[in-house]
């Protein structure tokens, strides 16, 4: 049975409230995990675990938050920015994320801004519809 997008958002919101200790009104679709909600890299493991439990899905390492593998590859990063090859890899790994703004200035310091509540909802929705 398909879960509505609103129900997915509500579950994602509950996961983030529990994992990050934030208030419900802070967890909007546009909120970034790191910038707006104060998530740190260690929190991403907890978030993935909680999402798996909440939705009954398996989230392979680096599938939802693929920044680490990108940043550690010299073919993908040059002078602090993602290369065309890096952007192609990012598009491939994050089809659930709108990269339009990031592509105009692919500064690796802005990678964290791509991890939004909406991106998580899109990801979970895609996972649930694929199964």
């Amino acid at each position: 049975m398909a879960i509505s997008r609103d129900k997915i958002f509500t579950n994602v919101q509950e996961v983030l409230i529990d994992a990050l200790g934030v208030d419900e009104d802070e967890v909007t679709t546009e909120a970034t995990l790191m910038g707006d909600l104060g998530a740190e890299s260690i929190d991403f493991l907890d978030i993935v675990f909680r999402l798996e439990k909440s939705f009954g899905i398996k989230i392979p390492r680096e599938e939802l938050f693929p920044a680490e593998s990108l940043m550690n590859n010299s073919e993908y990063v040059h002078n602090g920015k993602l290369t065309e090859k890096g952007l192609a890899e990012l598009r491939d790994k994050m089809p659930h994320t709108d990269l339009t703004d990031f592509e105009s200035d692919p500064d690796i310091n802005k990678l964290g801004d791509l991890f939004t509540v909406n991106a998580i909802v899109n990801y979970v929705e895609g996972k649930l519809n694929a199964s």
Side-chain angles (χ1 to χ4, degrees), residues 26-96:
E26 292 178 87
V27 185
T28 64
T29 55
E30 303 308 311
T32 62
L33 297 187
M34 297 173 90
D36 296 327
L37 302 179
E40 296 177 5
S41 55
I42 190 79
D43 294 318
F44 287 92
L45 291 171
D46 187 32
I47 291 167
V48 166
F49 172 75
R50 289 171 186 263
L51 288 170
E52 287 178 333
K53 198 170 171 187
S54 178
F55 291 101
I57 58 175
K58 184 75 184 125
I59 302 173
R61 179 171 158 72
E62 290 266 318
E63 189 173 271
L64 181 55
F65 306 118
E68 194 176 305
S69 62
L70 287 169
M71 292 174 48
N72 295 331
N73 187 325
S74 60
E75 290 183 32
Y76 297 156
V77 179
H78 181 70
N79 290 337
K81 295 193 184 285
L82 282 185
T83 62
E84 275 307 314
K85 195 169 186 177
L87 282 169
E89 185 71 9
L90 189 65
R91 280 190 288 274
D92 184 54
K93 287 183 176 276
M94 295 182 73
H96 50 276

